[in-house]
C-alpha cells in the first residue's frame, strides 16, 4: 500500500534527506482509514450458545485474537464495531439482539457464526428458534460449522477485514446524509414471534375476520 | 376379568399399602414404576415421606402427556442418608384443566421444575408461590410438550421424514409454511391491538398483594436488571434484582433466552439422533451428557457394555469434568475482576484435552462419541500415551500453578468467605446437586450413592466442605480435579484391550422396548438425569433432561439475599451455569 516518495525530478540540492525518505509514505485516505478500522475492530462481548465457547477459545491463548487487534471485547454495543452472533437465536432473545444491533454505531458489521445463527442449524424446527439471524438484521459474513472450528472463525474474521478494505470514505453510507440508516424494526413477542414485515398481511386477515364476525 | 374387577383388585391391593395407614387414601396404586398418588393427599404424603421416611431430596419433576391423562412424576431420593429412588406419579384425568397442588412447600427444589411443567405442559400447580412461564415468555400461545402441539415447521410426528428418506428430497422449511418463517399467528390476530402481558415483580418489590402497599410504591426499592446481554451472566441469563441501596432484597432469575426446544425435538428424533443433541446441552462437557443419555437408553434396552468401552467412557467423563471445573474456576475469577487471565489458563489446558477428544471422536467440542452399548470409535494409536503425559505430568503442574496463583489470593479470599451461604439442610431442600451440594457439607455423589458404569471399581474421595459459601464451592471444584486425576490414573492403567461395541451388526435404528428409565450421572455441574419413556416406536414417547444447573439456580435468591449487589455476580459465578443446559 505504501509508495516510495518520488525524489527524482527535484532540483539539485533539494534532495530529500535520507532519514525522511524512510519515514514518509504516500497513500490514499481510504487505505489509512480502512487499515485503522480493520486493525482495531472491537467485537461485542456477547455470547449466545455453544458457539460462544469456541469464540472464547479464539480469544484465548492458542488462537489469540489479539494478533488482529481484536482482543478488546466490548460489553456495551455502543463501543463495538462487530457483532459476532455466536449461537442459536431464540425467539425470546431476538428482540434484545435487534435492539443491541440498533444501538451499535455505524460502521458496524455482523458475523453469523455457526449453523444456528446462519439458518437455525440443528434446532431449526424448534418452536422457539429463529431460522437464521439474517431474517432480521443484515449479515456480512457467514461462518458455517457446528460449531465452526476456531480456525474457521478466524478465517471469517479475515473476510470481514477484507470487506472493510473494499469500502471507501467517499461512498460510505454512514457519512452520507441521503443514506441515513434506519433502525431495524423491532420484533415483538406476541402469541408467537411477531415480525413487523408481516403487518400488512396480518391486518388484512384480522379485518376480514372482523367483517365475517359482524356479517 | 373385566376392567372393573381389575380396578377393584388394584384398589384393594393399594389400600393395604403401608403409606396408606399413615395418610389414608394417598396411594391409589403401586405400579412397577412407582406409586400412583391421589392429588388430594399428595402434600400430606410428601411431608410424611420427607420427615419420617428420609426422602428429603426431590430430584426430578416432570410430566407425561398420555392419551387419557396428564401424569406428573416426582423422583425422590434420600440425600442425608442415601436411599433408592421413590417415584410418585399423579394422574390428572381432566385434560382440559389439569390442576394439582404444588409441592414447593415440602421441597423448595420443585419450584422451577413445576414452573417448567406448567410452561411446557400446562399443568397448573395450586399454591405455587410464583407460577408463571419460565422458559417461554408470558403471552406465548400453547404448551409445546403436549402431544397435540404442532410447531410452525411441523412436518411429521417422527423422523426420519418420509419426504427425505430414502430418496433424500429436500425442501426448504420456509417454502412449506404460510408465513415463510418459523412463526404462526392465531387467526384474526391484530398486531396493533396486542399488549404484551407485563411481569410485575411484585413479590421481590415487596408489594403486598392484598393492599398493594397503599399507594403501591416503595420509593427506596429499585429494580436492577442484569442481562440477558451482560458480561458476567455467563451467556444469556437474566436476573432481576430488587435493591435497597447496595443490598439485595429480592431476586428473580429469568431464563429461556436459549430455550432450544430440546425435549420436543428429542421426541421427534430417533433415539440415536438424540446423542448429537445432548452434546449441545451443557456444551462445555459434551462427553458427560452423551454418557448420561446412553445410560438411560441402555437401561431400557438391557445392553451389556464391553469392558474397554466402559473404561474409555470413564476416561472421557473425567477429562470432561476437569475441563468443566477449570473453566468454572477461571470464570469465577473473571467475575471477581481478575479479567480473563485465570480463564485464559483454564482455556489453555482445555485445548490440550480437546485435542484428545478430537483425536478420538473427530470433533473438538461436540464429540457425539458414545453409542448405545459402547463408544463410536476406538482410541487412535498414541492416544493413551498423550493422555498419560497429560494426566501424570502436565495437569498436576497446572494445578500447582492454579493453587499458587489463585487460591491464596487475598482479594479472592475476602470476597468469597461467608458469601452466598447455604446450610446443608437448605441445600438438600433446594435440590442442589454436584459441587453446590457437597460444598454445603453433604457428601453426596451419584458415583458413590448409586454407582453407574464402572465407578464402583475406582478409588476416589467424595470432596465436601462444611462452609457452604462461594469459597467452599471453589475448593470443592479444585479438589475434584485432583480426584478426577486419581480416577484417570487408575482407568488409564487398567484400560483393557477388546471390542468397543457389543457383538452384532451396527444399527442406526435401535429397538427400544416399551418402558420408562431414568438414568442419572454425576456430571461436572451436578446430578445430570435423563428420563426416557418408550412406547416401542423408533422415537421416544417422552424425553426429559434433569439439568443440574437449572435446578441449582432455584436457590440463587436464597443465597443472594442480604448481600451486596456486586456479590450477586460472584454467587452466580459459583453456581457455574451453562445456559444450553439451563434452558435446554
Ligand atoms: S451452530 Fe452448533 S455449536 Fe453453534 S450454537 Fe448452534 S448448535 Fe451450538
Amino acid at each position: 500500500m505504501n509508495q516510495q516518495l518520488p525524489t527524482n525530478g527535484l532540483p539539485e540540492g533539494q534532495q530529500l534527506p535520507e532519514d525522511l525518505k524512510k519515514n514518509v509514505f504516500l497513500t490514499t485516505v481510504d487505505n489509512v482509514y480502512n487499515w485503522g478500522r480493520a486493525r482495531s475492530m472491537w467485537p461485542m462481548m456477547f455470547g449466545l450458545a455453544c458457539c460462544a465457547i469456541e469464540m472464547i477459545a479464539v480469544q484465548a491463548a492458542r488462537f489469540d485474537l489479539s494478533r488482529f487487534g481484536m482482543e478488546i471485547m466490548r460489553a456495551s454495543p455502543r463501543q463495538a464495531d462487530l457483532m459476532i452472533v455466536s449461537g442459536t437465536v431464540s425467539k425470546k432473545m431476538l428482540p434484545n439482539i435487534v435492539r443491541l444491533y440498533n444501538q451499535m454505531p455505524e460502521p458496524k458489521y455482523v458475523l453469523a457464526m455457526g449453523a444456528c445463527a446462519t439458518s437455525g442449524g440443528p434446532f431449526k424446527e424448534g418452536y422457539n428458534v429463529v431460522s437464521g439471524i439474517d431474517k432480521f438484521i443484515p449479515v456480512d459474513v457467514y461462518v458455517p460449522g457446528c460449531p465452526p472450528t476456531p480456525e474457521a472463525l478466524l478465517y471469517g474474521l479475515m473476510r470481514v477485514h477484507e470487506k472493510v478494505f473494499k469500502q471507501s470514505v467517499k461512498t460510505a453510507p454512514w457519512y452520507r446524509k441521503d443514506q441515513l440508516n434506519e433502525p431495524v424494526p423491532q420484533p415483538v413477542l406476541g402469541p408467537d414471534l411477531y415480525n413487523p414485515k408481516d403487518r400488512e398481511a396480518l391486518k388484512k386477515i384480522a379485518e376480514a375476520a372482523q367483517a365475517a364476525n359482524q356479517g | 376379568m373385566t376392567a372393573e374387577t381389575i380396578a377393584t383388585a388394584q384398589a384393594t391391593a393399594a389400600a393395604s399399602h403401608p403409606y396408606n395407614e399413615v395418610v389414608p387414601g394417598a396411594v391409589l396404586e403401586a405400579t412397577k414404576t412407582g406409586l400412583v398418588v391421589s392429588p388430594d393427599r399428595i402434600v400430606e404424603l410428601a411431608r410424611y415421606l420427607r420427615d419420617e421416611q428420609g426422602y428429603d431430596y426431590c430430584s426430578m419433576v416432570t410430566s407425561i402427556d398420555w392419551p387419557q391423562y396428564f401424569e406428573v412424576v416426582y423422583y425422590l431420593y434420600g440425600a442425608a442418608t442415601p436411599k433408592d429412588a421413590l417415584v410418585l406419579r399423579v394422574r390428572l384425568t381432566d385434560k382440559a384443566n389439569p390442576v394439582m397442588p404444588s409441592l414447593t412447600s415440602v421441597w423448595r427444589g420443585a419450584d422451577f421444575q413445576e414452573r417448567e411443567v406448567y410452561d411446557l405442559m400446562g399443568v397448573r400447580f395450586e399454591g405455587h408461590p410464583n407460577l408463571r412461564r419460565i422458559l417461554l415468555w408470558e403471552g406465548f400461545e400453547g404448551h409445546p410438550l403436549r402431544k397435540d402441539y404442532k410447531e410452525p415447521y411441523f412436518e411429521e410426528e417422527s423422523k426420519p421424514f418420509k419426504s427425505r428418506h430414502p430418496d433424500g428430497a429436500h425442501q426448504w422449511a420456509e417454502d412449506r409454511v404460510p408465513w415463510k418463517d418459523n412463526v404462526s399467528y392465531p387467526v384474526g390476530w391484530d398486531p396493533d391491538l396486542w399488549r404484551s402481558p407485563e411481569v410485575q415483580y411484585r413479590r421481590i418489590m415487596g408489594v403486598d398483594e392484598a393492599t398493594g402497599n397503599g399507594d403501591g410504591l416503595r420509593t427506596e426499592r429499585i429494580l436492577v436488571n442484569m442481562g440477558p446481554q451482560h458480561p458476567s451472566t455467563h451467556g444469556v441469563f437474566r436476573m432481576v434484582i430488587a435493591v435497597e441501596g447496595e443490598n439485595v432484597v429480592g431476586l428473580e432469575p429469568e431464563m429461556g433466552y436459549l430455550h432450544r426446544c430440546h425435549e420436543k425435538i428429542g421426541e421427534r428424533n430417533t433415539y440415536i439422533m438424540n446423542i448429537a443433541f445432548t452434546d449441545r446441552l451443557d456444551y462445555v462437557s459434551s462427553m458427560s451428557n452423551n454418557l448420561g443419555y446412553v445410560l438411560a437408553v441402555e437401561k431400557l434396552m438391557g445392553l451389556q457394555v464391553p469392558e474397554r468401552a466402559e473404561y474409555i467412557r470413564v476416561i472421557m467423563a473425567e477429562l470432561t469434568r476437569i475441563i468443566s471445573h477449570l473453566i468454572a474456576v477461571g470464570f469465577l475469577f473473571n467475575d471477581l475482576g481478575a479479567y480473563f487471565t485465570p480463564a485464559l489458563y483454564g482455556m489453555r489446558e482445555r485445548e490440550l484435552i480437546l485435542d484428545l477428544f478430537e483425536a478420538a471422536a473427530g470433533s473438538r467440542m461436540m464429540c457425539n462419541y458414545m453409542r448405545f452399548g459402547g463408544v463410536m470409535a476406538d482410541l487412535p494409536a498414541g492416544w493413551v500415551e498423550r493422555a498419560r503425559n497429560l494426566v501424570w505430568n502436565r495437569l498436576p503442574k497446572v494445578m500447582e500453578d492454579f493453587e499458587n496463583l489463585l487460591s491464596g489470593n487475598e482479594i479472592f479470599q475476602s470476597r468469597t468467605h461467608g458469601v452466598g451461604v447455604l446450610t446443608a439442610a437448605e441445600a438438600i431442600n433446594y435440590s442442589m446437586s454436584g459441587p453446590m451440594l457437597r460444598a454445603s457439607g453433604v457428601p453426596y455423589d451419584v458415583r458413590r450413592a448409586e454407582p453407574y458404569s464402572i465407578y464402583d471399581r475406582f478409588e476416589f474421595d467424595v470432596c465436601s466442605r462444611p462452609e457452604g459459601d462461594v469459597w467452599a464451592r471453589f475448593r470443592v471444584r479444585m479438589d475434584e480435579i485432583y480426584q478426577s486425576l486419581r480416577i484417570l490414573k487408575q482407568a488409564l492403567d487398567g484400560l483393557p484391550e477388546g471390542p468397543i461395541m457389543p457383538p452384532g451388526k451396527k444399527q442406526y435404528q435401535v429397538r427400544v422396548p416399551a418402558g420408562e428409565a431414568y438414568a442419572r450421572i454425576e456430571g461436572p455441574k451436578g446430578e445430570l438425569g435423563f428420563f426416557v419413556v418408550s412406547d416401542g416406536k423408533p422415537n421416544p414417547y417422552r424425553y426429559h433432561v434433569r439439568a443440574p444447573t437449572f435446578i441449582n439456580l432455584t436457590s440463587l435468591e436464597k443465597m443472594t439475599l442480604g448481600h451486596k449487589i456486586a456479590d450477586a455476580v460472584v454467587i452466580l459465578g459459583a453456581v457455574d451455569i451453562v445456559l444450553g443446559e439451563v434452558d435446554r
Side-chain angles (χ1 to χ4, degrees), chain A residues 45 54 62 75 88 90-92 124-129 131 135 146 190-192 198-199 203, chain B residues 137 141 153 159 174 182 184-185 190 192 194 229 255 257 259-261 280 339 350 355 364-365:
Chain A
M45 186 191 264
E54 284 300 65
R62 186 185 280 182
T88 320
S90 73
K91 289 181 185 172
K92 195 170 176 180
K124 178 164 184 167
E125 67 200 275
Y127 49 83
N128 192 28
V129 176
S131 352
K135 291 220 161 59
C146 180
D192 199 338
D198 294 338
R199 183 166 176 276
K203 287 294 281 183
Chain B
W137 61 91
E141 197 173 82
Y153 280 162
K159 292 177 190 170
E174 279 91 335
N182 190 8
S184 62
Y185 305 106
D190 190 335
D192 291 353
W194 170 258
Q229 193 264 337
M255 43 200 113
Y257 294 95
H259 179 51
R260 297 192 277 198
C261 328
R280 286 150 182 86
Y339 187 70
R350 173 178 178 266
D355 285 346
R364 281 159 53 85
M365 239 176 104

Side-chain angles (χ1 to χ4, degrees), chain A residues 49-51 87-88 114-116 122-123 145-147, chain B residues 260 280 366:
Chain A
C50 352
C51 280
T88 320
C116 283
F123 298 96
C146 180
Chain B
R260 297 192 277 198
R280 286 150 182 86
M366 304 305 179

Side-chain angles (χ1 to χ4, degrees), chain B residues 155-214:
Chain B
E155 190 170 340
E156 254 177 73
E157 281 297 341
S158 64
K159 292 177 190 170
F161 295 144
K162 290 190 193 69
S163 64
R164 322 274 168 83
H165 185 80
D167 300 330
H170 183 264
Q171 192 190 10
W172 286 109
E174 279 91 335
D175 293 344
R176 275 193 292 111
V177 294
W179 293 101
K180 304 274 171 251
D181 202 355
N182 190 8
V183 293
S184 62
Y185 305 106
V187 183
W189 182 71
D190 190 335
D192 291 353
L193 302 179
W194 170 258
R195 295 283 166 273
S196 306
E198 227 175 281
V199 183
Q200 292 285 338
Y201 301 110
R202 295 163 75 87
R203 186 182 62 79
I204 58 173
M205 284 303 274
V207 179
D208 189 331
E209 284 297 335
T211 65
N213 288 4

Side-chain angles (χ1 to χ4, degrees), chain B residues 86 174 268 307 312 320 443 501:
Chain B
L86 176 73
E174 279 91 335
R268 303 238 189 273
E307 274 289 283
I312 295 177
T320 304
M501 285 291 278

Side-chain angles (χ1 to χ4, degrees), chain B residues 10-11 13-30 34-49 86-91:
Chain B
Q10 277 170 347
S16 61
H17 196 277
Y19 293 156
N20 274 349
E21 280 158 30
V22 194
V23 188
V27 179
L28 301 179
E29 192 184 324
L35 305 177
V36 179
V37 178
S38 138
D40 306 328
R41 309 308 304 269
I42 187 164
V43 180
E44 251 174 280
L45 178 70
R47 250 211 200 95
Y48 165 71
L49 289 174
L86 176 73
V87 188
L88 302 185
R89 320 179 74 91
V90 183
R91 292 181 177 164

Side-chain angles (χ1 to χ4, degrees), chain B residues 159-475:
Chain B
K159 292 177 190 170
F161 295 144
K162 290 190 193 69
S163 64
R164 322 274 168 83
H165 185 80
D167 300 330
H170 183 264
Q171 192 190 10
W172 286 109
E174 279 91 335
D175 293 344
R176 275 193 292 111
V177 294
W179 293 101
K180 304 274 171 251
D181 202 355
N182 190 8
V183 293
S184 62
Y185 305 106
V187 183
W189 182 71
D190 190 335
D192 291 353
L193 302 179
W194 170 258
R195 295 283 166 273
S196 306
E198 227 175 281
V199 183
Q200 292 285 338
Y201 301 110
R202 295 163 75 87
R203 186 182 62 79
I204 58 173
M205 284 303 274
V207 179
D208 189 331
E209 284 297 335
T211 65
N213 288 4
D215 59 358
L217 273 180
R218 301 250 317 245
T219 41
E220 67 271 25
R221 278 202 184 181
I222 304 175
L223 268 193
V224 179
N225 180 58
M226 270 179 77
Q229 193 264 337
H230 190 279
S232 61
T233 51
H234 296 224
V236 284
F237 178 67
R238 177 173 162 222
M239 312 194 256
V240 183
I241 309 177
V243 289
E244 272 176 17
E246 283 261 319
N247 295 325
V248 179
V249 291
L251 184 148
E252 241 180 73
E254 289 277 344
M255 43 200 113
Y257 294 95
L258 189 54
H259 179 51
R260 297 192 277 198
C261 328
H262 185 90
E263 292 176 14
K264 188 75 179 176
I265 295 178
E267 285 164 22
R268 303 238 189 273
N269 282 347
T270 59
Y271 283 94
I272 201 156
M273 283 178 185
N274 270 341
I275 301 178
F277 280 84
T278 59
D279 282 334
R280 286 150 182 86
L281 278 171
D282 170 359
Y283 33 74
V284 201
S285 37
S286 54
M287 287 282 194
S288 296
N289 304 341
N290 283 182
L291 179 59
Y293 176 63
V294 295
L295 282 178
V297 178
E298 278 163 11
K299 240 187 193 178
L300 276 173
M301 295 170 67
L303 274 181
Q304 217 29 66
V305 182
E307 274 289 283
R308 184 173 170 83
E310 291 275 29
Y311 272 87
I312 295 177
R313 284 179 176 190
V314 168
I315 292 171
M316 295 302 183
E318 293 306 318
L319 284 173
T320 304
R321 192 182 315 275
I322 295 178
I323 295 184
S324 172
H325 284 348
L326 280 178
I327 290 189
V329 168
F331 278 90
L332 177 61
F333 277 85
N334 221 6
D335 293 342
L336 275 164
Y339 187 70
F340 221 72
T341 308
L344 216 62
Y345 279 95
M347 296 299 282
R348 187 186 64 186
E349 302 317 310
R350 173 178 178 266
E351 290 290 338
L352 298 176
I353 298 180
L354 289 195
D355 285 346
L356 289 178
F357 287 174
E358 193 171 5
S363 171
R364 281 159 53 85
M365 239 176 104
M366 304 305 179
C367 304
N368 191 4
Y369 185 57
M370 316 263 172
R371 291 289 179 276
F372 308 128
V375 295
M376 175 200 85
D378 208 342
L379 303 174
W383 195 93
V384 177
E385 284 65 51
R386 276 165 78 188
R388 279 178 165 273
N389 185 24
L390 208 58
V391 170
W392 264 271
N393 306 329
R394 169 112 194 177
L395 287 173
K397 278 215 198 75
V398 172
M399 287 307 290
E400 223 170 89
D401 280 353
F402 262 67
E403 298 280 9
N404 289 341
L405 294 172
L406 304 181
S407 312
N409 184 307
E410 209 170 297
I411 302 174
F412 181 65
Q413 300 259 357
S414 61
R415 291 274 322 258
T416 54
H417 279 294
V419 172
V421 177
L422 270 189
T423 64
E426 282 165 355
I428 293 174
N429 197 251
Y430 275 94
S431 298
M432 297 291 102
S433 58
M436 295 285 291
L437 182 63
R438 291 191 283 278
S440 291
V442 185
Y444 186 84
D445 189 317
V446 182
R447 290 174 292 178
R448 265 290 147 71
E450 197 186 312
Y452 51 93
S453 191
I454 48 168
Y455 272 104
D456 44 358
R457 296 189 200 167
F458 299 114
E459 251 177 60
F460 67 98
D461 299 330
V462 175
C463 313
S464 94
R465 290 188 75 86
E467 296 95 336
D469 54 7
V470 173
W471 166 259
R473 285 164 209 147
F474 161 76
R475 218 35 267 178

